[in-house]
Amino acid sequence: MNISPEGEQLPNVVMPTCPEQKILRGQKALVTGSNSGIGKAVALALGEAGADVVVNYRSGEEQAHGVVEEIRNFGAQAYAHQADVSHEDQIQAMFQRMFQEFGTVDILINNAGLQRDAPFEEMTLGEWNQVITVNLTGQFLCAREAVREFKRRGVVKEVSCSAGKIICISSVHELIPWAGHVNYAASKGGVMLMMKSIAQEVAPYRIRVNSIAPGAIRTPINTAAWSTPEAYNDLMKLVPYKRIGEPEDIGRAAVWLASDYADYVNGTSLFVDGGMTLYPGFTEGG
Ligand code: NAD
């Protein structure tokens, strides 16, 4: 039995007895930017694991409806909702609709993001602001709405032993500097300390906040890095595991991190990068 120092009985970890059971059954998830790439794969993986899912998109309505259909085929509920994560009023309206349709939110996946690359001295204020506003401020706005609801509702022990989970999709560039992408690396470094600071603040309410830091994943954001054999071979110099990541690699990690299997994991970045952060240049040098 799980007993606190004050003698209070704490809810036990909700875990299935066999892996085929849907480990997120009964949970309500919102995935930003899930009409494409990593967000789409995470939304599908959560739906397959039994969660009901809000598929957020900014543009790409048709793709978003396709993701909704696939989730419904798993037997979970889903609907698509258009909102720009950098607009406070749109984010608040998106959560209000979710509370009406699904009752609450248990899992937030802060995924929406973009790149606007330029050599540093040529980077415009517009390019800087757009990346920071979507990648960092967007995650702040969504996390704040989720935490408000998690604290209002508290733990529902039949659903999860946590009052709520936030997973920020960060990047290996929360750690690795990236020339020519100063705005992007700054946004992901910001996500890292935002995530840890929120986690520290809300942990006593049994809210878990973590990041997944992907390496090179095959999605539209980085087509130039993998779409020709030359580019792919160059990329593999940075990946000790010698394969590109697939969006499903992130989907599986997100299901685990959102589930009660990961109940004691809080305030950490899970690198899913084939070893990209292992300083591959030192394999034969140094
Ligand atoms: P992607 O371009 O396929 O997906 C980005 C998604 O974000 C799209 O659905 C897009 O519509 C959405 N989006 C962009 N701006 C938005 C806004 N203002 N409001 C709402 N949605 C918005 O690329 P991806 O690779 O799937 O990227 C997803 C996340 O993963 C991003 O945060 C990215 O930084 C991160 N990431 C990707 C890689 C990689 O190698 N692909 C590596 C590390 C981190």
Side-chain angles (χ1 to χ4, degrees), residues 44-243:
L44 292 175
L46 297 179
E48 190 173 17
D52 298 325
V53 186
V54 178
V55 176
N56 161 251
Y57 67 100
R58 187 192 49 179
S59 54
E61 185 176 4
E62 207 172 312
Q63 288 172 299
H65 288 300
V67 177
V68 165
E69 279 313 306
E70 283 193 66
I71 293 170
R72 288 180 180 160
N73 288 340
F74 293 129
Q77 297 181 66
Y79 67 86
H81 184 98
Q82 188 193 14
D84 184 324
V85 294
S86 62
H87 288 252
E88 185 177 31
D89 55 341
Q90 294 184 30
I91 295 313
Q92 289 178 333
M94 177 166 69
F95 276 86
Q96 283 311 312
R97 178 178 172 200
M98 184 177 187
F99 302 155
Q100 280 161 13
E101 303 233 1
F102 284 172
T104 191
V105 58
D106 300 289
I107 300 165
L108 166 67
I109 311 289
N110 259 336
N111 167 77
L114 45 75
Q115 288 180 217
R116 294 289 178 267
D117 309 327
F120 179 62
E121 72 279 10
E122 291 169 23
M123 187 172 285
T124 64
L125 181 60
E127 288 165 338
W128 171 267
N129 280 340
Q130 190 182 5
V131 171
I132 297 295
T133 306
V134 173
N135 294 12
L136 181 56
T137 309
Q139 293 212 11
F140 155 72
L141 289 171
C142 292
R144 193 184 58 177
E145 295 309 308
V147 164
R148 285 173 175 166
E149 171 65 5
F150 297 159
K151 286 179 73 170
R152 184 201 64 76
R153 192 202 58 236
V155 175
V156 179
K157 65 181 191 322
E158 295 74 21
V159 173
S160 169
C161 55
S162 160
K165 283 83 58 164
I166 297 173
I167 299 175
C168 301
I169 303 299
S170 169
S171 165
V172 290
H173 296 295
E174 73 169 46
L175 187 68
I176 304 175
W178 205 13
H181 310 258
V182 168
N183 46 2
Y184 185 82
S187 74
K188 297 300 186 178
V191 165
M192 188 266 285
L193 271 178
M194 180 189 74
M195 176 276 289
K196 287 178 186 286
S197 302
I198 303 171
Q200 191 186 59
E201 186 168 334
V202 301
Y205 301 95
R206 298 216 146 216
I207 296 167
R208 296 194 295 110
V209 189
N210 292 286
S211 287
I212 293 176
I217 310 296
R218 195 195 307 267
T219 75
I221 210 173
N222 60 0
T223 310
W226 52 261
S227 55
T228 66
E230 297 74 32
Y232 190 88
N233 287 338
D234 268 358
L235 181 63
M236 286 308 105
K237 291 178 192 154
L238 300 175
V239 185
Y241 206 61
K242 300 299 173 205
R243 74 162 171 87

